Amino acid sequence: MAEARELCAAAPARLAEWVAAGWVEALAADRTLLATAPSQAPSVAPPLHEEQRAAVEAIGAAASFAPFLLHGVTGSGKTEVYLHAMAQVLARDAHAQVLMLVPEINLTPQLQSRIAARFPHLPLAVLHSGLADQERSLQWLAAHRGEARIVLGTRMAVMASMPHLALIVVDEEHDTSYKQQEGLRYSARDLAVWRAKRLAIPVVLGSATPSMETWWRAEQGAYRKLVLRERAQAEAALPSVRLIDLNHERQRQRALFEGLSVPLLEAIDARLARGEQSLLFLNRRGYAPVLACDSCGWLSGCPRCSAYLVLHRPERRLRCHHCGLESPVPHHCPDCGNMDIAPLGRGTQRIEEALAARFPQARIARIDADSTRRKGSAQAMFDDVHAGEVDILVGTQMVAKGHDFQRVTLVASFTPTPPCSATISARPSICSPR
Ligand SMILES: [Zn+2]
Ligand SMILES: [Zn+2]
């Protein structure tokens, strides 16, 4: 109430009326903090390697506006650099606040746990569009009042009011999710740099594959480049990668099973036998990208735009992923009447179906925009994967970014363009062996 009075003398009376009318609800202030954070056992910071230490020192030495590009390959330990830099800033001033941006909502829970474990006594607020309105406003208030020392969020969090902001971290700075494409258009990454400049504080842009803009600024000396070349842990070795040319497989007369090659099927078999997980990445959702007529060459083109209608078999619909047009699946060719029209190519649904037929004993999960339409379903599925309830995970880019799947020891990635049609990595870098 005191805060409301500060804003406007009449505010407390007005608020009381609104409470009486049931329009607003009074909440205890302490609910604002850590309302969604899982309880965590405190963790100890691992030792840094030389390049990490140099990066942390450089960030720590910045006394005013200082933009950094933290350029490090996957597995080089960028997150540890962020956490150490945050620890420095937070320890220096009892009020200091740190803002950390990540590109995707589904990256927040894991990072949230990691931050909460590292800073068990510091209140953490989380801001992203997946929160219910009330929860989001509580988190926002915690940031605004300076109670939350760390704010973790997606692009919207760059707008968070933080009175004692002392450091901004933008992870995966190249990610296009930082751009708001509709309504108020902005780039959260660029806004982060602008905010840091106004506040005269350091800002760290981290990436393994920096954007052209950021790279250019670093080359020009406008941003300071911090490079991590080493991998953080010796055992997190580079994955062994194998390229399988499906045309070559066909020439050798090795049968493909629904586009899945023999070496891939054997590799999955071995993982199932050992109780390990396999991840199949295909950036094409739906069952098949097009429906085709064998006799006249008709293809399921979208009548409204230049794309093809994608077959979604479980829902028995054709959908244009471009303009959103939907129609039922025709029973015969609309041009020549041929009953024998067939799906051409494959999407995640078809791969899932093929895997279920080939590995009937395996627990298979498909994670894409179609299977995760329901709120919370993506998180539930990821939880299952982390808990070892899934043997084979099939998915689009949703499964490719940022997850630390500890039990995954095989990754297959399908690329539509020759010559490489499928790549297998055994013991990929994203799974540091335990
Ligand atoms: Zn036809
Ligand atoms: Zn269309």
Side-chain angles (χ1 to χ4, degrees):
M1 277 302 170
E3 278 176 65
R5 191 172 287 115
E6 250 177 53
L7 289 172
C8 166
R14 195 63 44 82
L15 274 175
E17 284 169 30
W18 290 350
V19 170
W23 293 343
V24 299
E25 201 181 323
L27 291 165
D30 62 358
R31 276 207 49 202
T32 58
L33 294 178
L34 292 169
T36 57
S39 62
Q40 275 293 328
S43 73
V44 185
L48 298 179
H49 61 66
E50 193 48 47
E51 289 173 334
Q52 285 176 311
R53 202 163 24 241
V56 171
E57 273 170 24
I59 299 164
S64 64
F65 173 59
F68 294 96
L69 164 60
L70 181 63
H71 181 210
V73 294
T74 311
S76 60
K78 289 189 289 293
T79 308
E80 272 313 314
V81 173
Y82 304 148
L83 293 175
H84 277 82
M86 285 159 69
Q88 278 182 341
V89 167
L90 294 166
R92 215 177 281 159
D93 169 358
H95 295 291
Q97 291 178 294
V98 172
L99 172 64
M100 178 161 184
L101 300 178
V102 289
E104 303 235 359
I105 293 180
N106 61 39
L107 299 182
T108 52
Q110 212 181 357
L111 196 55
Q112 184 182 351
S113 311
R114 194 158 162 190
I115 294 175
R118 188 63 66 80
F119 305 103
H121 307 299
L122 296 184
L124 165 69
V126 178
L127 279 170
H128 57 69
S129 55
L131 298 174
D133 287 350
Q134 190 187 62
E135 187 56 41
R136 203 197 302 176
S137 42
L138 291 176
Q139 302 283 324
W140 191 89
L141 270 176
H144 170 71
R145 290 183 179 139
E147 293 160 355
R149 301 286 306 283
I150 304 168
V151 175
L152 170 69
T154 52
R155 63 171 181 248
M156 62 176 294
V158 78
M159 308 281 185
S161 161
M162 297 174 70
H164 307 294
L165 186 56
L167 171 69
I168 308 179
V169 172
V170 183
D171 191 24
E172 310 287 349
E173 66 85 25
H174 60 278
D175 200 292
T176 49
S177 312
Y178 283 124
K179 285 188 184 170
Q180 165 92 10
Q181 307 273 22
E182 52 201 32
L184 175 68
R185 290 167 196 232
Y186 63 92
S187 156
R189 182 211 44 217
D190 294 348
L191 261 182
V193 175
W194 181 83
R195 255 187 107 167
K197 190 170 186 180
R198 301 241 319 176
L199 294 170
I201 59 171
V203 54
V204 181
L205 310 179
S207 177
T209 52
S211 63
M212 293 296 282
E213 313 84 284
T214 300
W215 185 258
W216 172 251
R217 283 179 190 129
E219 286 290 299
Q220 295 298 301
Y223 293 178
R224 177 152 170 214
K225 210 190 291 180
L226 304 170
V227 185
L228 305 180
R229 288 180 195 84
E230 297 166 39
R231 299 220 151 208
Q233 297 149 329
E235 69 266 36
L238 283 163
S240 83
V241 177
R242 191 165 153 196
L243 220 59
I244 299 170
D245 182 340
L246 296 190
N247 287 328
H248 192 238
E249 287 287 299
R250 274 188 212 100
Q251 279 159 18
R252 286 175 62 199
Q253 318 236 304
R254 292 231 275 181
L256 298 181
F257 182 80
E258 280 286 336
L260 306 174
S261 63
V262 173
L264 174 58
L265 294 172
E266 285 171 352
I268 295 174
D269 257 330
R271 298 309 177 292
L272 288 173
R274 293 204 294 263
E276 297 169 357
Q277 291 175 325
S278 305
L279 188 159
L280 275 66
F281 166 69
L282 172 63
N283 212 5
R284 185 188 279 152
R285 64 193 174 87
Y287 187 83
V290 66
L291 207 55
C293 170
D294 241 6
S295 75
C296 77
W298 170 85
L299 294 171
S300 59
C302 174
R304 225 161 54 180
C305 69
S306 59
Y308 287 110
L309 295 175
V310 177
L311 174 63
H312 285 251
R313 186 118 129 191
E315 306 95 318
R316 307 181 138 273
R317 304 289 286 174
L318 290 178
R319 285 189 186 132
C320 176
H321 289 179
H322 211 67
C323 72
L325 182 97
E326 272 204 42
S327 68
V329 179
H331 295 292
H332 51 77
C333 171
D335 281 3
C336 74
N338 174 20
M339 302 286 284
D340 218 13
I341 47 177
L344 206 66
R346 47 190 57 80
T348 46
Q349 290 175 350
R350 193 170 191 172
I351 297 284
E352 180 192 24
E353 188 185 270
L355 290 167
R358 176 63 174 68
F359 304 106
Q361 76 284 16
R363 296 162 296 175
I364 301 168
R366 171 170 57 87
I367 301 188
D368 56 29
D370 298 308
S371 71
T372 55
R373 246 169 244 285
R374 234 174 351 97
K375 199 176 169 226
S377 57
Q379 196 45 51
M381 288 170 106
F382 281 119
D383 289 347
D384 283 350
V385 177
H386 287 295
E389 308 279 317
V390 169
D391 299 312
I392 309 175
L393 173 61
V394 185
T396 54
Q397 56 181 352
M398 286 181 71
V399 303
K401 268 190 220 166
H403 288 278
D404 191 11
F405 296 122
Q406 296 284 340
R407 294 165 212 253
V408 170
T409 60
L410 172 76
V411 173
S413 156
F414 298 83
T415 54
T417 42
C420 49
S421 302
T423 320
I424 295 183
S425 336
R427 292 235 158 257
S429 56
I430 54 166
C431 95
S432 36
R434 283 202 158 143

